[in-house]
């Protein structure tokens, strides 16, 4: 009798009518397979009804301490051909690694019998010692005394040096007077008097130098005494910091070596081995704890064939990120891409859709053209400039259209998924003048967007949310009040469709940050309603419903104000 692995979950409904996928999911950009959607729905019902743990996902309105979490389902087939699915969560759940129904971590650092607890205890003990030293009251007291003594010493030395400067000047004046007297009366008596005075002046100079030496010695001794007492404490602090750093790095490397991932060929690689060939070299924190690697490792370890994967967010979004409850998301790039690169070896995987040319078959319309510039209407899913893999873009098309021009030169860009108006400079002088207008923000830009919901906001307003790139998951952006760049967007409600539950808004960006309008619409501190079709911050549709519809600028040569407007195709 064949025994299923303990985490293998059978579907509760008949799935015979569904066609199994022929290729495994490309995990970084995908539409969930229907069976993965069914599996996710079953898992979500389990999350809503389980009584095994207490975890605040922020779904009951209590956001203090709320932690939303990414869950994953892996469609698998056992050696006898039975199809089911595996479930996993990223990181820990309710401070535990093991829960019924969910696959275990690749390495359980919380297990009582492994090295992590003993070595982490040692680091914690060093932390306690370090905290005691860092909080020792003598450190701030001695530091303050040292600063005061050094300042007083500098003041005393400076004052005496000024005395020496004044004395030197006085002696110079007296010597000049002696020279005049000698010239007027070169007698033995004058010589004798001058000799006595010169000796007195020389002794004054020696005395002042000796006084400077004594002042230096006095304050050096006082400063050295305080500095020595302070150094005893700071040396101990620095030694503890260095020891903690060394032990932490050694423990981290040891942990990285324990995280060993299988692929379908049975080949095993540690985190150290996987990241050794990347730009990062060292695995980022949390590597190997995401749902996707845990699911695949369990499948390979138990002889299950992976068919498709999907991950969804459950709970309130993090403060800085945009995550929608129950929404499917791709695997992260920074941590998961190197790991999954190894784990997917030997599997037939869907093609990466991001490598295909989205502009193929699309026309770039030129709305206005003269010798200095052109205005084009860029279609959605059309690059402004060539990418790493795809050359076709507004820039390349304009070079084909104007092969003899000194341009074309890109003045500003639109995101690939955004459609609408772009100005192209056809000469270097025009480019310089147009670019100056954008830098000085004298150009009027307006976008129209269709939101996938109705925002609970006034009819107009301003959004100020600073943005920075998500280092773990580019090109996604994060709201970051500490390190983000300032970003402001003015918005105005245009129309509400109650039946479709959508809202049309006008967006006027004051700044031009990456994904600014998309994030400002989707984030909970913005409009809290993503743009329809936003595959990064909302839900995918036939297109991103964002269009640059209005552009007002000065002609780069005539300085005439020019207005261009084109309606969206949605």
């Amino acid at each position: 009798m064949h025994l299923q692995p303990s985490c293998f979950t059978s579907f509760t409904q008949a799935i015979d009518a569904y066609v199994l996928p022929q290729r495994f999911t490309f995990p970084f950009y995908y539409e969930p397979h229907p069976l993965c959607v069914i599996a996710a729905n079953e898992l979500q019902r389990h999350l809503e009804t389980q009584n095994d743990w207490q975890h605040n996902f922020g779904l009951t309105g209590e956001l203090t301490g709320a932690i939303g979490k990414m869950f994953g389902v892996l469609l698998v087939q056992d050696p006898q051909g039975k199809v089911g699915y595996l479930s996993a969560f990223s990181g820990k759940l309710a401070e535990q690694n093991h829960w019924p129904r969910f696959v275990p971590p690749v390495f359980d650092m919380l297990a009582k019998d492994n090295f992590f607890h003993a070595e982490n205890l040692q680091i914690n003990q060093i932390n306690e010692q370090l905290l005691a030293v860092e909080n020792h009251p003598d450190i701030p007291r001695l530091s303050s005394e040292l600063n005061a003594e050094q300042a007083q010493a500098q003041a005393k030395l400076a004052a005496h040096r000024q005395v020496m400067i004044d004395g030197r000047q006085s002696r110079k004046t007296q010597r000049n007077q002696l020279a005049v007297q000698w010239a007027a009366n070169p007698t033995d008596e004058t010589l004798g008097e001058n000799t006595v005075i010169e000796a007195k002046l020389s002794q004054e100079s020696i005395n002042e130098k000796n006084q400077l030496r004594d002042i230096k010695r006095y304050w050096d001794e006082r400063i050295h005494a305080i500095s020595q007492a302070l150094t005893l404490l700071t040396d101990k602090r620095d030694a503890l910091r260095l020891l903690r750093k060394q032990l932490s790095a050694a423990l981290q490397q040891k942990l990285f070596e324990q995280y060993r991932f299988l692929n379908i060929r049975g080949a095993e690689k540690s985190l150290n081995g996987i990241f050794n060939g990347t730009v990062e070299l060292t695995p980022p924190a949390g590597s190997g704890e995401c749902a996707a690697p845990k699911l695949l490792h369990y499948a390979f370890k138990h002889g299950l064939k992976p068919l498709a994967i999907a991950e969804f967010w459950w709970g309130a979004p993090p403060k800085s990120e945009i995550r929608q409850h129950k929404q499917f998301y791709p695997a992260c790039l920074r941590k998961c891409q190197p790991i999954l690169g190894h784990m997917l070896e030997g599997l037939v995987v869907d093609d990466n859709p991001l490598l295909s040319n989205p502009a193929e078959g699309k026309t770039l319309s030129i709305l206005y053209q003269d010798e200095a510039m052109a205005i084009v209407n860029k279609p959605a899913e059309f690059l402004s400039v060539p990418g790493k893999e795809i050359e076709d873009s507004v820039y390349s098309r304009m070079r084909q259209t104007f092969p003899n021009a000194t341009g074309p030169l890109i003045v500003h860009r639109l995101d690939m998924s955004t459609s609408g108006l772009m100005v192209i400079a056809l000469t270097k002088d025009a480019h310089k003048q147009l670019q100056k207008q954008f830098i000085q923000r004298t150009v009027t830009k307006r976008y129209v967007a269709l939101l996938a919901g109705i925002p609970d906001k006034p009819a107009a307003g301003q959004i100020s949310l600073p943005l920075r790139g998500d280092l773990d998951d580019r090109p996604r952006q994060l709201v970051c009040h500490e390190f983000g760049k300032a970003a402001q967007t003015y918005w105005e409600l245009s129309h509400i469709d109650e039946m479709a539950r959508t809202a049309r808004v006008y967006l006027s960006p004051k700044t031009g940050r990456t994904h600014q309008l998309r994030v400002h619409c989707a984030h909970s501190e913005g409009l809290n309603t993503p743009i329809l079709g936003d595959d990064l911050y909302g839900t995918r549709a036939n297109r991103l419903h964002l269009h640059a519809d209005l552009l007002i600028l000065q002609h780069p040569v005539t300085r005439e104000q020019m207005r261009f407007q084109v309606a969206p195709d949605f």
Side-chain angles (χ1 to χ4, degrees), residues 43-271:
L43 177 56
Q44 289 167 9
R45 285 194 292 272
H46 172 71
L47 294 175
E48 291 168 340
T49 58
Q50 66 77 33
N51 296 308
D52 293 327
W53 67 77
Q54 294 296 321
H55 182 97
N56 180 16
F57 289 104
L59 297 175
T60 59
E62 179 52 53
L63 296 180
T64 303
I67 302 176
K69 193 158 287 292
M70 198 74 78
F71 287 83
V73 290
L74 180 67
L75 187 68
V76 293
Q77 189 174 40
D78 73 4
Q80 283 66 43
K82 183 175 181 179
V83 175
Y85 63 92
L86 305 175
S87 305
F89 50 82
S90 292
K92 295 180 291 186
L93 182 57
E95 296 304 317
Q96 296 292 327
N97 276 330
H98 297 273
W99 293 107
R101 188 185 182 118
F102 294 97
V103 304
V106 176
F107 172 72
D108 186 6
M109 69 171 65
L110 300 182
K112 294 181 180 180
D113 57 350
N114 70 40
F115 63 88
F116 177 77
H117 288 283
E119 296 188 24
N120 195 51
L121 177 62
Q122 184 183 6
I123 293 172
N124 288 337
Q125 290 171 343
I126 292 172
N127 277 332
E128 291 175 4
Q129 297 175 43
L130 180 58
L131 188 63
V133 174
E134 288 176 334
N135 292 332
H136 198 293
D138 284 351
I139 290 182
R141 178 183 64 79
L142 291 171
S143 296
S144 178
E145 288 181 10
L146 182 62
N147 290 334
E149 292 285 293
Q150 288 173 333
Q152 196 170 357
Q154 290 176 0
K156 294 291 185 180
L157 289 168
H160 188 73
R161 286 192 177 99
Q162 187 60 50
V163 169
M164 293 176 70
I165 292 171
D166 295 341
R168 192 179 300 119
Q169 185 61 43
S170 173
R171 289 189 290 276
K172 182 178 180 182
T173 301
Q174 291 182 60
R175 287 186 175 106
N176 289 337
Q177 291 173 350
L178 292 176
V180 171
Q181 292 173 4
W182 171 255
N185 187 21
T187 64
D188 291 342
E189 183 180 357
T190 303
L191 178 62
E193 291 176 353
N194 287 1
T195 301
V196 171
I197 295 172
E198 178 59 40
K200 179 183 177 183
L201 294 177
S202 296
Q203 189 60 47
E204 284 181 4
S205 176
I206 293 170
N207 291 342
E208 288 174 356
K209 290 177 180 177
N210 290 338
Q211 289 170 6
L212 178 65
R213 178 200 63 203
D214 293 342
I215 292 172
K216 281 183 177 179
R217 181 180 298 163
Y218 172 81
W219 287 105
D220 283 348
E221 289 175 354
R222 291 177 63 94
I223 290 170
H224 177 70
I226 299 172
S227 180
Q228 195 171 32
L230 181 60
T231 299
L232 289 175
L233 292 171
T234 55
D235 281 355
K236 184 177 181 181
R237 178 198 63 194
D238 295 342
L240 286 170
R241 284 177 177 174
L242 178 60
L243 180 60
R244 180 182 64 177
K245 181 179 179 181
Q246 291 171 339
L247 291 176
S248 296
L251 178 56
Q252 192 72 275
Q253 288 300 309
K254 201 169 179 180
L255 282 173
F256 290 155
E257 201 57 38
Q258 300 306 311
Y259 280 86
R260 306 187 70 84
F261 300 87
L262 289 166
N263 60 27
I264 201 168
R265 294 169 175 163
E268 188 180 69
K269 268 191 179 182
S270 69
L271 278 177

Side-chain angles (χ1 to χ4, degrees), residues 270-291:
S270 69
L271 278 177
N272 284 328
I274 289 171
F275 279 88
N276 189 44
T278 68
V279 175
E280 302 241 5
L281 296 179
T282 300
S287 296
E289 290 289 345
C290 294

Side-chain angles (χ1 to χ4, degrees), residues 27-30 292 311 329-333 336-337 340 473:
F28 305 105
Y29 196 88
Y30 63 90
E311 295 179 86
Y329 288 94
C332 66
L333 295 176
C336 286
Q337 192 172 45
L340 295 182
D473 208 9

Side-chain angles (χ1 to χ4, degrees), residues 64 102 382 439 480 521:
T64 303
F102 294 97
F382 201 116
I439 292 172
C480 181
C521 287

